[in-house]
Amino acid sequence: MKATIVLLPGDGIGPEVVHEARTVLDVVAARFGHQFTFTEHLIGGVAIDRTCTALPTPTLAAATAADAVLLGAVGGPKWDDPKARVRPEQGLLGIRKALGLYANLRPVRVHPALAGVSPLKPERVQNVDVLFVRELTGGLYFGWPKFREDGSLHRRAVDTLEYREDEIHRIVALAFKLARGRKKRVTSVDKANVLESSRLWREIATEIAAGYADVTLEHQLVDSCAMRLLTHARSFDVVVTENMFGDILTDEAAALAGSLGLIPSASLGSGRCGLYEPIHGSAPDIAGKGIANPIGTILSAALLLRHSLGLHDEADVVERAVDDVIAGGARTADMLNAPTDKALSTAELGTLVRTAIVDDGYRHATAAS
Ligand code: IPM
Ligand code: MG
């Protein structure tokens, strides 16, 4: 198949991890006979430096016309001035909103070989497999009014948490559909004991559940959900929640898997074009050192193959290659168990994944002949 993929490396370690994922896609294309065309565009801090805006018009135009977008990360200390009018994060939020990508899927699976890397006891994280479905274009991130006021007596700032019925409906319904392909359990997370928007969320989730007799729904308050992730993470299947709760809970959940650097995400809307990115940030402290973990971005590329290109076998092959490489002991610095373990570079780990994809191809070809 032919596909156009827009690359948005962004800031910090973004370019390093996107490079590894792109070359993984090259290997997939060669093995399966696809033709992927890549174009690279600016977003975030690098875009501010060159164009004075975090989401330049050519970037959005290219993304809109593409089959899929693969993004690294945005942000960094250089652009962190709280008074700045233009911020790197506006690029990311802007592209999510402009492409209508309301559903952010964040699968958190604990690889058996990494159970010892998590800060929790291995028996607590063994076999954890949670799919977070984070609402991505509403809530506190986008609600209006949103402003800051520096009065003569005091300073004041306002953010607004608003959700409309249709926004809640489409994300919760998606969670139910996805649960049907899994263990058929949905946990809807809210703060209904305090927030009006959460009470509406809970009401709508309950209404939707009536149409899915085969899927169980439970409601959980976000604070106790945060605790249950540390004590009984295995008891979750699909977790659906609003934008900011999802942002916070998924960083927490990533620690179960051993490292924030391992977790991919897919941001989807009603069309086929999706945005794929690791859930980690730009990690300015290690940028340019060649030691960042490329797995979250490589697994995001696998999600891209599956969700935007419909290439399921290809996505499985990439995920299997990552699993095999981890099982074989390959680690970047963030995944180490003991200080004596050897850390691979970003490029070395990427190369191992590509080799595993090629080797898997040979095994298949030999088995078939
Ligand atoms: C994420 C990030 C972003 C978010 C930031 C960079 C705006 O933390 O994708 O989780 O909060 O959505
Ligand atoms: Mg986040």
Side-chain angles (χ1 to χ4, degrees):
M1 87 174 301
K2 286 188 180 170
T4 306
I5 299 168
V6 165
L7 302 175
L8 305 178
D11 306 318
I13 59 171
E16 298 161 57
V17 292
V18 166
H19 175 75
E20 294 308 318
R22 182 238 152 110
T23 37
V24 164
L25 288 171
D26 284 336
V27 169
V28 169
R31 176 173 159 191
F32 290 87
H34 302 306
Q35 200 181 319
F36 299 151
T37 307
F38 297 96
T39 62
E40 201 171 302
H41 290 271
L42 295 170
I43 195 164
V46 285
I48 294 176
D49 285 353
R50 296 226 215 131
T51 69
C52 298
T53 156
L55 181 58
T57 311
T59 301
L60 189 54
T64 309
D67 295 298
V69 182
L70 184 66
L71 184 140
V74 297
K78 182 174 177 196
W79 308 279
D80 251 356
D81 175 5
K83 293 252 159 63
R85 266 189 42 256
V86 190
R87 304 180 54 83
E89 291 76 10
Q90 291 164 348
L92 184 53
L93 301 189
I95 196 167
R96 288 171 178 170
K97 190 76 169 176
L99 297 179
L101 307 173
Y102 63 86
N104 184 222
L105 314 188
R106 298 186 161 191
V108 176
R109 279 187 304 131
V110 178
H111 191 293
L114 294 180
V117 181
S118 149
L120 298 183
K121 297 194 187 86
E123 61 269 25
R124 286 216 194 274
V125 298
Q126 204 73 257
N127 298 321
V128 164
D129 181 359
V130 190
L131 175 61
F132 286 87
V133 180
R134 170 188 175 194
E135 203 289 327
L136 203 60
T137 51
L140 273 173
Y141 279 55
F142 294 96
W144 207 255
K146 182 190 244 338
F147 64 90
R148 156 127 180 201
E149 211 172 59
D150 287 1
S152 53
L153 290 178
H154 60 240
R155 288 163 291 178
R156 189 165 83 99
V158 172
D159 292 290
T160 301
L161 175 41
E162 176 184 349
Y163 270 109
R164 293 188 319 262
E165 174 166 5
D166 59 319
E167 291 174 308
I168 300 171
H169 196 281
R170 62 187 180 182
I171 191 77
V172 176
L174 177 66
F176 273 88
K177 286 192 196 98
L178 292 166
R180 276 196 164 147
R182 297 174 47 102
K183 294 192 214 106
K184 301 188 168 56
R185 290 202 307 268
V186 171
T187 307
S188 172
V189 174
D190 61 40
K191 187 71 184 173
N193 52 346
V194 177
L195 301 175
E196 206 57 66
S197 58
S198 281
R199 286 190 279 274
L200 177 62
W201 183 286
R202 197 173 270 225
E203 192 176 306
I204 292 171
T206 305
E207 288 163 13
I208 293 171
Y212 291 81
D214 53 329
V215 179
T216 325
L217 169 68
E218 62 174 347
H219 301 282
Q220 179 144 32
L221 297 174
V222 62
D223 47 354
S224 72
C225 177
M227 186 176 70
R228 184 172 149 200
L229 272 173
L230 301 183
T231 55
H232 298 91
R234 246 192 317 273
S235 64
F236 290 110
D237 179 22
V238 175
V239 173
V240 62
T241 190
E242 68 94 36
N243 203 346
M244 179 124 164
F245 295 161
D247 179 44
I248 297 168
L249 291 177
T250 51
D251 267 31
E252 183 192 359
L256 307 177
S259 169
L260 189 58
L262 293 164
I263 311 299
S265 86
S267 303
L268 309 172
S270 48
R272 236 164 78 95
C273 180
L275 172 77
Y276 300 83
E277 53 170 321
I279 79 164
H280 63 68
S282 60
D285 52 325
I286 58 163
K289 296 188 176 161
I291 58 170
N293 189 343
I295 291 180
T297 317
I298 292 173
L299 291 176
S300 299
L303 295 177
L304 180 158
L305 292 166
R306 183 175 295 125
H307 292 286
S308 281
L309 308 187
L311 300 174
H312 297 270
D313 290 348
E314 288 82 340
D316 292 347
V317 162
V318 174
E319 287 169 354
R320 217 166 40 233
V322 168
D323 277 351
D324 289 352
V325 160
I326 294 175
R331 309 277 184 270
T332 41
D334 54 302
M335 299 161 71
L336 297 187
N337 209 357
T340 49
D341 288 350
K342 181 179 166 347
L344 298 179
S345 70
T346 310
E348 284 167 335
L349 191 59
T351 302
L352 286 181
V353 173
R354 289 185 288 274
T355 308
I357 294 171
V358 174
D359 287 351
D360 179 83
Y362 284 133
R363 273 201 302 280
H364 272 259
T366 321
S369 63

